[in-house]
């Protein structure tokens, strides 16, 4: 209340005099055209008294002189304003000229692409030239504020991961071509070989596809397809190989055969090798976790070890913790024909696996903590769900964990 009263007190006599002087001798704003015109038009008391002493002829002459002065001042101000505008224009031109081609050519090109295809404007969170072995390439990656990606190669072959029209069209086509297999469920992931150096599903932009029709993509032989399906019919390798001819050599098809609801075979087919691996048994290593034994004459994995670890705090993420950490280790300890191409897969079913925020992690022996694996070291693996269960397929030792936010007990009760 005291502060309020002090703010409302009346001005002193000295403050009133100072305020009047400031208003009388206020400096004009040289950048306010209206204020300058008003200043020119305003007459002082001395000017009015002086005009009253003049004859009519002198008044006319005085008026002509003042009109000339006003015209001169307006003209001078116009010239100054013009010079100011020219300076701004030149500065803007020089700034634009000094922009790299990334912002001068590529950025407008990608924004126009987005506007044309999605009928709205876009702003980018980041825009960068990708490097391979520390050398810049012609590949540019733009990331939108909502985490979508647009890519171009040398300002051509623009693509994005926003639309899924090609996914739906291709998935339907593949299911139809393999209708005789009695496909029960299928999933596909698509990539484009010119946009990545080495196939890795963890790369944030791995699903960017050029804005081409499906038939045009097939002609390039660079569309990478990862197809995963459950089936209960008869699988024909030749049919799959014929399909693979339209796609990149990184493409791979995975099939799990179900009989009476139980897996009986794992098939992995690409252009380099075809493995039709019978499932010879299974064991439940903990409640809801089943490891399937694969035919050792075709698959070299002799033993699959499954281990659980305690939840672990990550120093880089103080508000998060790695939870549900489990490790899969493979052992191959028996002799087989070294001239024969042989697989090294595991197949695991988990009834209570949360796929969200699943990370591959590594272990630091020094401080005994787990941490997220470097993306470059990620192993490709398959995680797919059907019939209420989740299946993991891979061919390397791997440790997984789920990154989850640390919440207070109140938050867990919905009170934060």
């Amino acid at each position: 209340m005291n502060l309020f009263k002090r703010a409302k007190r009346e001005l002193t006599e000295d403050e009133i005099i100072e305020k009047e002087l400031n208003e009388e001798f206020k400096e004009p704003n040289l950048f306010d055209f209206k204020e300058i015109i008003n200043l020119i038009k305003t007459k002082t008391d001395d000017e009015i008294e002086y005009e009253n002493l003049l004859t009519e002829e002198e008044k006319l002459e005085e008026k002509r002189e003042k009109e000339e002065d006003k015209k001169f001042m307006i003209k001078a101000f116009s010239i100054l304003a013009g010079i100011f505008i020219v300076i701004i224009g030149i500065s803007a031109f020089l700034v634009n000229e000094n922009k790299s081609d990334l912002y001068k050519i590529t950025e407008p090109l990608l924004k126009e692409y987005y506007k044309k295809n999605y009928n709205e404007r876009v702003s980018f969170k980041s825009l960068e030239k990708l490097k391979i072995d520390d050398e810049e390439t012609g590949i540019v990656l733009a990331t939108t504020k909502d985490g979508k990606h647009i890519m171009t190669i040398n300002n051509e072959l623009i693509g994005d991961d926003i639309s899924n029209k090609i996914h739906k069209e291709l998935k339907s086509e593949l299911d139809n071509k393999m209708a005789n297999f009695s496909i029960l469920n299928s999933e596909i992931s698509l990539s484009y070989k010119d946009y990545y150096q080495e196939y890795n599903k963890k790369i944030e932009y791995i699903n960017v596809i050029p804005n081409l029709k499906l038939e045009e993509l097939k002609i390039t032989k660079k569309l990478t397809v990862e197809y995963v399906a459950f089936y209960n019919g008869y699988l024909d390798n030749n049919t799959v190989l014929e399909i693979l001819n339209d796609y990149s050599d990184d493409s791979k098809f995975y099939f799990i055969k179900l009989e009476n609801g139980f897996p009986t075979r794992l098939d992995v087919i690409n252009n380099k090798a075809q493995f039709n691996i019978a499932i010879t048994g299974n064991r439940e290593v903990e409640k809801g976790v089943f490891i399937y034994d694969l035919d050792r004459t075709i698959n070299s994995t002799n033993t699959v070890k499954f281990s659980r670890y305690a939840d672990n705090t990550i120093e880089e993420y103080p508000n998060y913790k790695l939870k549900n950490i489990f490790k899969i280790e493979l052992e191959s300890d028996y002799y087989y024909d070294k001239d024969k191409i042989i697989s090294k897969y595991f197949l695991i079913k988990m009834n209570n696996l949360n796929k969200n925020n699943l990370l591959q992690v590594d272990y630091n022996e020094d401080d005994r903590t787990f941490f997220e694996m470097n993306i470059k070291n990620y192993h490709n693996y398959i995680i797919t769900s059907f019939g209420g269960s989740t299946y993991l397929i891979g061919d390397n030792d791997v440790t997984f964990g789920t990154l989850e936010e640390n919440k207070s007990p109140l938050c867990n009760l919905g009170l934060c």
Side-chain angles (χ1 to χ4, degrees), residues 37 148 263 291 406:
I37 295 301
K148 302 297 184 182
I291 294 176
N406 282 329

Side-chain angles (χ1 to χ4, degrees), residues 171-234:
K171 181 177 180 300
S172 177
E173 179 183 295
L174 293 176
D175 287 346
N176 288 335
K177 286 186 174 180
M178 295 182 286
N180 290 337
F181 300 176
S182 297
I183 301 294
L184 302 172
N185 184 66
S186 67
E187 301 173 6
I188 64 167
S189 297
L190 301 181
S191 306
Y192 194 74
K193 196 159 186 181
D194 282 356
Y195 287 152
Y196 64 84
Q197 180 183 13
E198 185 174 346
Y199 183 76
N200 184 336
K201 285 191 290 186
K202 184 62 176 177
I203 300 172
E204 61 178 6
Y205 54 84
I206 195 64
N207 297 127
V208 173
I209 303 297
N211 188 31
L212 300 172
K213 294 179 180 178
L214 180 56
E215 292 306 314
E216 293 173 324
L217 288 167
K218 288 180 182 179
I219 290 171
T220 67
K221 306 287 187 183
K222 294 179 180 179
L223 181 63
T224 301
V225 181
E226 184 181 79
Y227 179 87
V228 185
F230 293 86
Y231 75 104
N232 63 3
Y234 173 75

Side-chain angles (χ1 to χ4, degrees), residues 90-110:
I90 291 173
S91 299
F93 173 78
L94 291 175
V95 168
N96 189 61
E97 282 299 303
N98 288 328
K99 279 184 178 179
S100 66
D101 287 347
L102 181 64
Y103 292 95
K104 191 164 60 176
I105 299 173
T106 308
E107 184 177 34
L109 181 69
L110 297 183

